[in-house]
Amino acid sequence: MRTQEPVIETNHLGIGYLLKGGRRKIIHEDLNLRLQPGEVTCLLGLNGAGKSTLLRTLCGFQPPLSGEIRLMGKPLASYSQSNFSLTVGVVLTEKTNAGGITVYELVSLGRHPYTGFFGQLKKHDREIIGQSLEAAGIAHKAQNYVSELSDGERQKAMIAKALAQQCPIILLDEPTAFLDVTSRIETMVLLHRLATEQHKAILLSTHDLDLAIQMGDCLWLQEKGRPMACGTPEDLILSGAFESFFGKEGIVFDPSTGKLNTKAPVDPIGVEGDFLVSYWVGNALIRNGFRPAPAKEGQVNVNCLSPSDLLLTLPDGKVRKLDGVAALIEAVREEEFSTKVSPLSAQ
């Protein structure tokens, strides 16, 4: 049970846009959200769900249509721009156009709330900048121009700039959007480490379902026209929330793997043996239209002894030794086995 006060709290928040003539375009209403310190919270939703609108509203970049936002226990509207910059660091989706300055100079902009109009850096400011570069893993590029960086390095530089603000809250709009798979993982690991070690509250929007489930301490599932679901990834998966939010015609969420599939596997094949081999055998079976299940008599079973030693047992007790997953899939797809596997789909 959490005993800490949330750093951001919304009460009956309505988000959307003010249109001409005083009309309003409502995207979400009655949002009651809590952002906790020391956690990475991932905001998930399909395109058009309103993720960016919610983040911009929490940042004060656009006004709420109704309700209240409290930041560190005080109304967001009561914060001056300077005080807000001391409390919240914001990293937006758009690629920075600051290519003509060095990484060090970019990160030093995070000290602006402390240095004032003239931006004179003192010894303490330079120490903070150096620590921020190190924490973000980009210190070795400090004297490089931003234009020379890869997308992943540029994202680290922007995170370092937010760290230099020394604020307890960091909000990021799709921080992994332009990154390759390795850089996406590095960025999520970095953010989780910052939340844990520096006790920051980190909220990010993302389309990366796999990484959100792996690295998110809390998930906010957003979709137009329905209440937002919030909780740990595991609680949301086990409660069926993921299936409800992400299941569409022809697309299903498989709670046994945490992945979206194009169709629901129906034919069960028992899988047992080595944990790692069993996991990847199950992955291949799902991709080919079968459902991994506990091994039992009367159905097709696979005993995963090793990656090159798979024992396929048929319902009549016959056993076939197979070398590798490709051979296994070929075997279960053969006509002589399909007639034995298909009737099990009714079980």
Side-chain angles (χ1 to χ4, degrees), residues 47-276:
N47 286 335
K51 300 187 298 298
S52 294
T53 303
L54 175 58
L55 284 177
R56 293 179 64 84
T57 305
L58 294 178
C59 294
F61 295 169
Q62 63 187 70
L65 299 184
S66 60
E68 181 186 36
I69 302 172
R70 299 187 70 82
L71 181 62
M72 306 297 287
K74 299 188 298 183
L76 175 62
S78 70
Y79 278 76
S80 66
Q81 184 175 351
S82 175
N83 285 337
F84 180 83
S85 297
L86 295 172
T87 308
V88 181
V90 181
V91 180
L92 297 177
T93 307
E94 295 83 4
K95 293 184 180 181
T96 177
N97 293 318
I101 65 175
T102 66
V103 172
Y104 188 93
E105 290 168 338
L106 173 65
V107 176
S108 70
L109 296 176
R111 296 304 296 166
H112 181 73
Y114 302 89
T115 59
F117 180 79
F118 295 102
Q120 293 292 324
L121 296 174
K122 299 179 181 178
K123 179 181 178 181
H124 177 65
D125 296 309
R126 296 187 182 280
E127 289 175 350
I128 296 299
I129 294 169
Q131 292 168 7
S132 301
L133 287 163
E134 288 287 346
I138 198 66
H140 63 294
K141 295 283 187 176
Q143 300 309 316
N144 286 71
Y145 286 103
V146 175
S147 59
E148 299 173 336
L149 303 181
S150 68
D151 288 338
E153 290 168 340
R154 192 172 300 205
Q155 194 63 274
K156 289 180 180 179
M158 295 302 296
I159 293 172
K161 175 179 173 289
L163 291 177
Q165 291 179 232
Q166 289 188 296
C167 43
I169 306 167
I170 300 179
L171 305 183
L172 307 99
D173 190 8
E174 298 193 37
T176 61
F178 303 113
L179 307 184
D180 59 41
V181 62
T182 301
S183 297
R184 291 202 304 269
I185 295 172
E186 287 180 342
T187 299
M188 290 297 292
V189 169
L190 166 63
L191 293 173
H192 198 272
R193 176 165 56 81
L194 294 173
T196 302
E197 296 180 358
Q198 299 189 19
H199 206 60
K200 295 184 182 295
I202 296 178
L203 171 63
L204 62 98
S205 63
T206 181
H207 285 101
D208 198 324
L209 185 64
D210 289 345
L211 273 180
I213 291 174
Q214 291 179 45
M215 304 299 297
D217 299 296
C218 180
L219 304 185
W220 294 355
L221 305 185
Q222 186 175 9
E223 185 179 0
K224 283 184 179 180
R226 65 189 304 175
M228 186 175 289
C230 303
T232 66
E234 296 77 16
D235 282 335
L236 292 174
I237 290 172
L238 293 173
S239 69
F242 265 87
E243 295 171 81
S244 175
F245 271 80
F246 295 102
K248 305 295 178 183
E249 184 176 355
I251 302 292
V252 296
F253 178 81
D254 185 350
S256 67
T257 63
K259 298 180 184 297
L260 292 172
N261 293 313
T262 55
K263 61 180 180 179
V266 292
D267 293 335
I269 294 182
V271 180
E272 62 182 351
D274 180 82
F275 176 81
L276 182 61

Side-chain angles (χ1 to χ4, degrees), residues 11 14 68 125 146 182 296 299 303 333:
N11 294 301
E68 181 186 36
D125 296 309
V146 175
T182 301
K296 65 179 183 180
Q299 71 177 22
N303 192 338
R333 282 298 186 193

Side-chain angles (χ1 to χ4, degrees), residues 265-270 289-293 296 299-301 341-347:
V266 292
D267 293 335
I269 294 182
F290 298 97
R291 175 167 55 87
K296 65 179 183 180
Q299 71 177 22
V300 177
N301 296 312
V341 174
S342 295
L344 296 172
S345 62
Q347 292 184 2

Side-chain angles (χ1 to χ4, degrees), residues 17-35:
Y17 298 91
L18 294 174
L19 305 175
K20 290 182 179 180
R23 294 180 297 115
R24 303 187 306 168
K25 179 181 179 181
I26 299 173
I27 293 179
H28 259 290
E29 290 185 295
D30 203 31
L31 294 174
N32 298 294
L33 306 171
R34 307 291 182 269
L35 186 68

